[in-house]
Amino acid sequence: MVKRAPLKLAKILLAVALLGAALALPLTARAQGDGDNLPTYVVRPGDTLSDIAFAFGVDVRALMAANHITNPNSLRAGQTLVIPGLEGVTGRLIVQKTAFGDSLFSVGRALHIPAHKLARLNHLVSPFQFYAGKPIVVPESAKPAAGERLLLGDESLLDAALRSHQSVWALVFANGLHARWDAIPGDVLIAPAGNGAKGALSAFPSGFAATLKPREWVQGRTGEVVLSAKGAEKVVGEFDGEKMPFFRWKAKPNGWVALKGIHALAEPGIYPLSLTVTLADGRSFGFAQAVRVVAGDYYYEKLNVPPSLLNPELNRKEERFLEQKTAAAMPQRYWEGKFAPPEKPPFSDCHPSYFGARRNYNSGAFFWYHTGLDFCGRVGTPIYAPAGGKVVFVGKTEIHGNVTIIDHGWGVYTLYCHQSAALVKEGQTVHKGDLIGKVGRTGRVTGPHLHWEVRVDGMPVDPQEWLDRVFP
Ligand SMILES: [Zn+2]
């Protein structure tokens, strides 16, 4: 592990150097014998002018002017547009959707376009801008190279060539290397396959696949990375500088899953996600990509409660306490399928307040958000376990009243607050549908209800998502 760090730094420095060079080098996209004309794009069904302008990084008005378009609705599929603002580029261009696992380098290598030229074509000034799902512009004539993706260990290119039954020079040419000693441990090389084999853009070695669910992560919701990695012994992840634990998912061969709770007040934007896979044979593979976090659709609400309970120090103390109780991530998973609502009809669909609401207490500033989903109910309405788990806390708190916490494994917890009675004990195993407590009005409340929380990797997330969809 210690030896990986300088390698990563070297890659970053290389990226910076290449992108620096990008500003000075001309680019020629060879295609279709268009000579020295401006590059072109053929409109596809469903394209809008603003989509096209966004994909090519040009202003809509500049795009309209270059094509003498006065009415943006006059665009039709099959129409050829010239693309301004790409001096030195010629030929026909297409827009390709990238997936999680594609990088500027892997796409460049697969399409035989140097990374700095690809960066220039896409107006990228940093590899960080190559986020998962980004549409990228490539020459139409460029087709992804087919072949096995070889993960290099501490071996020479010659050894790698022997392992894949290739000549060294075939590897050198297929991967745009400058020389035989150009490949470094951890690099993923294309071992060219014969005609007819399907090409790929991914940076992952053969036998690996990763999916980001959903493709863009949302404030206050649960982000998921599903990885299959043949031969993996250990996977560690990091999101925005924080550890993101991966767990073995036994239902899928070579399956691993990481779940990440996104803060409800996280600034929308792009965030770095990285993972490092260590194989049983000692080779390791590292990958980093930016992931988009978009705004959730949350509303504002005003509440009045006894001023004595708004003590910020008390709030912080209680939050720290709940954080401690929900911090550990158990490698065993106790749930299967969707979670069930913790109350039965007619209360199961009745919510006095939703997750994520920006809250204003006693006419103060909007300073906090609602960390759970509230369910209606009377004092004594039964509460049921939404999924299997282990009870890790039962006790009384000042703000949340009588609280029960269930650990469902993989860093997923549920919390039951303001109860009139808790009917389970710490250490007890519960199953989906077990009676665990009764609705009450203990703690900081305006009336009887159940405040239900789902916490993932220490972060409160929208519980509705756990009722609506299956994780993983
Ligand atoms: Zn609540």
Side-chain angles (χ1 to χ4, degrees):
M1 292 308 298
V2 174
K3 140 174 127 160
R4 307 283 312 157
L7 175 59
K8 272 185 193 157
L9 182 63
K11 276 194 173 169
I12 291 164
L13 291 174
L14 177 68
V16 170
L18 286 173
L19 290 164
L23 303 172
L25 287 169
L27 179 114
T28 315
R30 296 223 41 83
Q32 317 302 315
D34 281 354
D36 294 328
N37 297 337
L38 284 177
T40 60
Y41 173 75
V42 178
V43 178
R44 288 181 306 182
D47 280 349
T48 67
L49 266 181
S50 56
D51 290 342
I52 298 167
F54 175 73
F56 286 93
V58 298
D59 187 78
V60 179
R61 283 159 303 184
L63 185 62
M64 288 173 71
N67 290 280
H68 313 290
I69 294 172
T70 47
N71 174 11
N73 299 322
S74 67
L75 199 70
R76 50 174 217 290
Q79 184 178 348
T80 298
L81 299 181
V82 299
I83 306 296
L86 289 171
E87 281 78 19
V89 180
T90 58
R92 201 180 266 188
L93 301 173
I94 57 168
V95 177
Q96 204 153 348
K97 197 96 177 160
T98 61
F100 179 64
D102 300 346
S103 72
L104 187 64
F105 295 97
S106 71
V107 172
R109 188 169 267 178
L111 298 180
H112 286 284
I113 304 171
H116 65 269
K117 290 191 176 178
L118 196 57
R120 182 162 182 261
L121 185 55
N122 285 277
H123 304 279
L124 300 174
V125 292
S126 144
F128 193 60
Q129 292 174 305
F130 199 99
Y131 58 85
K134 180 177 174 54
I136 54 152
V137 174
V138 296
E140 189 186 48
S141 54
K143 293 282 178 276
E148 198 193 338
R149 264 57 178 172
L150 292 175
L151 174 62
L152 283 194
D154 263 332
E155 61 193 326
S156 68
L157 199 60
L158 182 63
D159 291 334
L162 287 171
R163 190 150 61 81
S164 63
H165 311 288
Q166 305 271 333
S167 82
V168 171
W169 295 109
L171 287 186
V172 168
F173 290 130
N175 293 280
L177 304 176
H178 296 104
R180 284 201 289 149
W181 51 86
D182 212 9
I184 48 177
D187 200 356
V188 175
L189 295 180
I190 301 170
N195 288 338
K198 209 171 169 301
L201 297 178
S202 173
F204 287 103
S206 296
F208 282 43
T211 325
L212 208 58
K213 292 201 273 184
R215 187 184 278 168
E216 290 182 333
W217 288 0
V218 185
Q219 282 181 329
R221 306 243 163 86
T222 305
E224 201 180 344
V225 182
V226 179
L227 173 74
S228 88
K230 200 175 171 191
E233 201 169 63
K234 190 179 162 204
V235 182
V236 293
E238 209 177 271
F239 178 75
D240 194 27
E242 281 178 23
K243 277 210 160 50
M244 185 176 65
F246 273 82
F247 300 98
R248 266 183 206 275
W249 185 19
K250 298 193 177 89
K252 296 275 170 194
N254 310 310
W256 297 76
V257 172
L259 297 170
K260 187 76 192 169
I262 308 299
H263 198 292
L265 303 176
E267 200 63 46
I270 49 179
Y271 289 81
L273 188 158
S274 66
L275 49 92
T276 306
V277 182
T278 309
L279 300 186
D281 64 13
R283 283 180 297 162
S284 72
F285 169 72
F287 178 74
Q289 191 167 22
V291 169
R292 263 169 95 91
V293 171
V294 298
D297 192 12
Y298 302 117
Y299 65 103
Y300 291 86
E301 63 184 13
K302 296 180 179 189
L303 291 178
N304 289 306
V305 295
S308 61
L309 287 175
L310 285 180
N311 177 350
E313 188 41 46
L314 178 65
N315 270 277
R316 273 197 292 275
K317 205 176 122 203
E318 201 160 309
E319 187 43 46
R320 271 200 301 273
F321 175 76
L322 296 177
E323 275 171 15
Q324 281 165 13
K325 292 284 172 198
T326 56
M330 202 172 19
Q332 188 180 349
R333 180 170 63 116
Y334 284 88
W335 85 89
E336 196 70 56
K338 287 180 192 171
F339 280 28
E343 290 184 38
K344 294 260 159 80
F347 301 116
S348 52
D349 284 329
C350 174
H351 306 294
S353 175
Y354 295 88
F355 174 88
R358 276 54 171 146
R359 280 192 160 175
N360 170 0
Y361 289 104
N362 302 351
S363 308
F366 290 117
F367 75 98
W368 195 230
Y369 71 96
H370 187 219
T371 51
L373 174 64
D374 290 352
F375 283 80
C376 304
R378 291 183 273 269
V379 173
T381 298
I383 302 169
Y384 302 95
K390 220 174 176 132
V391 178
V392 292
F393 176 74
V394 178
K396 194 171 167 52
T397 66
E398 225 163 321
I399 296 168
H400 295 81
N402 292 325
V403 177
T404 298
I405 302 178
I406 301 176
D407 181 355
H408 300 280
W410 286 13
V412 178
Y413 290 81
T414 51
L415 285 72
Y416 306 79
C417 307
H418 313 308
Q419 298 175 107
S420 58
L423 304 175
V424 285
K425 291 192 174 68
E426 285 178 20
Q428 188 179 332
T429 301
V430 293
H431 300 97
K432 192 174 190 169
D434 284 355
L435 180 65
I436 58 163
K438 288 180 173 174
V439 172
R441 51 176 309 158
T442 55
R444 186 172 74 189
V445 286
T446 51
H449 71 276
L450 169 66
H451 171 87
W452 185 49
E453 282 193 19
V454 177
R455 294 196 179 205
V456 175
D457 194 26
M459 192 62 72
V461 293
D462 191 349
Q464 188 63 48
E465 210 184 1
W466 285 78
L467 300 174
D468 293 344
R469 100 174 170 83
V470 177
F471 291 91

Coordinates of all heavy atoms in Angstrom, one line a residue, residues 370 374 449 451, ligand 1:
H370 N -34.7 18.6 8.6 CA -35.4 17.5 9.3 C -34.7 16.1 8.9 O -34.7 15.8 7.7 CB -36.9 17.5 8.9 CG -37.7 16.4 9.6 ND1 -38.7 15.7 9.0 CD2 -37.6 16.0 10.9 CE1 -39.2 14.9 9.9 NE2 -38.6 15.1 11.1
D374 N -41.5 11.6 9.4 CA -42.5 11.5 10.5 C -43.7 10.7 10.1 O -44.2 10.9 8.9 CB -42.9 12.9 11.0 CG -41.7 13.6 11.7 OD1 -40.7 12.9 12.0 OD2 -41.9 14.7 12.1
H449 N -46.2 11.5 17.4 CA -45.9 11.0 16.1 C -44.6 10.1 16.2 O -44.0 10.2 17.3 CB -45.7 12.1 15.1 CG -44.4 12.9 15.3 ND1 -44.3 13.9 16.2 CD2 -43.2 12.8 14.8 CE1 -43.1 14.4 16.2 NE2 -42.4 13.8 15.4
H451 N -40.9 9.8 14.8 CA -39.9 10.3 14.0 C -39.0 9.1 13.6 O -38.4 8.5 14.5 CB -39.1 11.4 14.8 CG -37.8 11.9 14.1 ND1 -37.8 12.9 13.2 CD2 -36.6 11.4 14.2 CE1 -36.6 13.1 12.8 NE2 -35.8 12.2 13.4
Ligands
ZN1 ZN -39.3 14.1 12.8

